[in-house]
Every structure is written in C-alpha cells, then in structure tokens.
Amino acid sequence: MRSALLVIDIQESFRQRPSWAAVSNPDIVATVNPLIDAARSRGDLIVWILHHEVDNVFDPRNGHVRPIEGLSPLPDEPVITKTSANAFTTTGLQQLLTTEGIRHLIVTGIQTEQCCETTTRVAGDYGYDVTFVTEATATFPIAHRDEKHLPYDEILASPRTLSTDDVIARTEYALAGRFATIATVKELIG
C-alpha cells in the first residue's frame, strides 16, 4: 500500500518567533529527513504543506513561508498552502490523496498539538489510516489562557505554562488508538 508522508508547516516562519528558543525539537530537520528519504525510496507520495496568514511571519510577502533550511521538496512533490489549522479544509489535499489512491498517511511537522494533531483528527474522520510520528513533530510551551498576554520570558517562567513534554504526552494520549497509531522514526524506516 502506497502511503503519503505529510510534512506539515516545517517552515522558516517558526524560526522567526521568540518561541523558537523553547521549541521541543530544534533538530526537526534531522528527524524528518530520514522519513523523507525512506518515503522516496518506497515510492510514497510526499506532500509539503505550508501555512499562510497575513501581517505576521506566516505572510508569504515576508519571505519565511518556505521549508526550513535543510528540507527540500523535489520538483515532482506537491507543495500546498493552507490557511486553516488542518491541512484539509482550505486545500485540495483530499482530492490529491484520492487521485493518488492514498489511504495511509504519515504525519510530521510543526506544531504537534495544533496543525499536526488537527490534520490527524480530520484525516481519521475521513477514514484514513494515520501514523503519527511524534518525534518528527515539534511544539512550544503553551501559556495558560489567563497569561497569554505576558511577555514570553514570563510565560516560560510561569508554573501555569504547559511544558512541551506535557503537550506531546497529551497529544499522544488523545490520538493513540482513536485517530492514529503512534510510531517512531526507527519503526518507520526499519
């Protein structure tokens, strides 16, 4: 069965934000590249997904809406842009996957609990078999809802801030056995 590797929002935009200093996986490129190499060798589809917004670091006019240095789509690999949290709602992803006969997705990207988890949940609702590669995702500490207005250094120091380890664990608990199978890079590349 041919799979699709989704490379979600691993883009330079994130490295322009102060939160990058607290990212859970600063070496995400080194984690994702073996999955890309394995997918290419198997003949799987690799879909590059980039997030667009206006008037911030996700605005294409600012030049950061491109894969992080070290990740390079090949000319025949689709690069799609989205404006929603999941990779389906504002794109032609489902049509692409249907046209290619894809029923199994491998999810990687930034952010673990946002675009990656949301895409996984929607894919599950659409009937896809999804493998979520947590170690090939990245996230950031999350401020408590009452402290989102604080400067970032205060958010990081707050005992109410959810750590990246907690974010990742919560995502795995929410997805495993419901919307996805959790796998490691080693398990997928054999």
Side-chain angles (χ1 to χ4, degrees):
M1 169 176 68
R2 188 170 180 230
S3 299
L5 175 66
L6 304 185
V7 182
I8 301 173
D9 302 347
I10 306 179
Q11 62 193 69
E12 288 292 338
S13 306
F14 283 104
R15 296 196 331 172
Q16 307 309 307
R17 297 164 72 183
S19 59
W20 186 258
V23 70
S24 64
N25 186 359
D27 296 326
I28 191 166
V29 170
T31 308
V32 172
N33 266 328
L35 292 171
I36 292 169
D37 292 343
R40 286 175 178 158
S41 70
R42 288 190 305 266
D44 287 348
L45 178 67
I46 300 172
V47 182
W48 300 80
I49 300 154
L50 299 172
H51 188 78
H52 287 199
E53 289 179 19
V54 294
D55 299 327
N56 62 36
V57 296
F58 295 94
D59 191 324
R61 296 172 294 186
N62 293 328
H64 306 300
V65 180
R66 56 185 160 64
I68 284 180
E69 186 177 333
L71 294 179
S72 300
L74 295 179
D76 63 337
E77 294 170 349
V79 179
I80 62 177
T81 59
K82 65 180 182 60
T83 56
S84 64
N86 77 79
F88 288 96
T89 302
T90 60
T91 72
L93 178 60
Q94 188 175 13
Q95 182 178 2
L96 171 65
L97 297 172
T98 300
T99 300
E100 295 288 332
I102 304 292
R103 298 303 312 152
H104 176 244
L105 306 179
I106 301 167
V107 174
T108 68
I110 303 174
Q111 285 181 239
T112 308
E113 80 290 355
Q114 285 190 15
C115 297
C116 297
E117 180 178 334
T118 306
T119 297
T120 298
R121 287 172 177 261
V122 172
D125 283 349
Y126 284 153
Y128 291 96
D129 178 27
V130 182
T131 301
F132 192 89
V133 191
T134 312
E135 71 179 299
T137 68
T139 193
F140 308 91
I142 299 176
H144 185 273
R145 67 181 176 273
D146 296 334
E147 296 180 348
K148 291 193 179 285
H149 66 283
L150 295 175
Y152 198 66
D153 60 336
E154 290 180 36
I155 288 171
L156 291 177
S158 173
R160 298 173 81 185
T161 295
L162 198 61
S163 73
T164 57
D165 288 343
D166 289 340
V167 172
I168 291 165
R170 191 221 51 88
T171 296
E172 286 188 344
Y173 275 100
L175 294 179
R178 294 175 183 89
F179 296 96
T181 299
I182 307 298
T184 65
V185 171
K186 185 177 181 179
E187 289 169 337
L188 291 178
I189 65 174

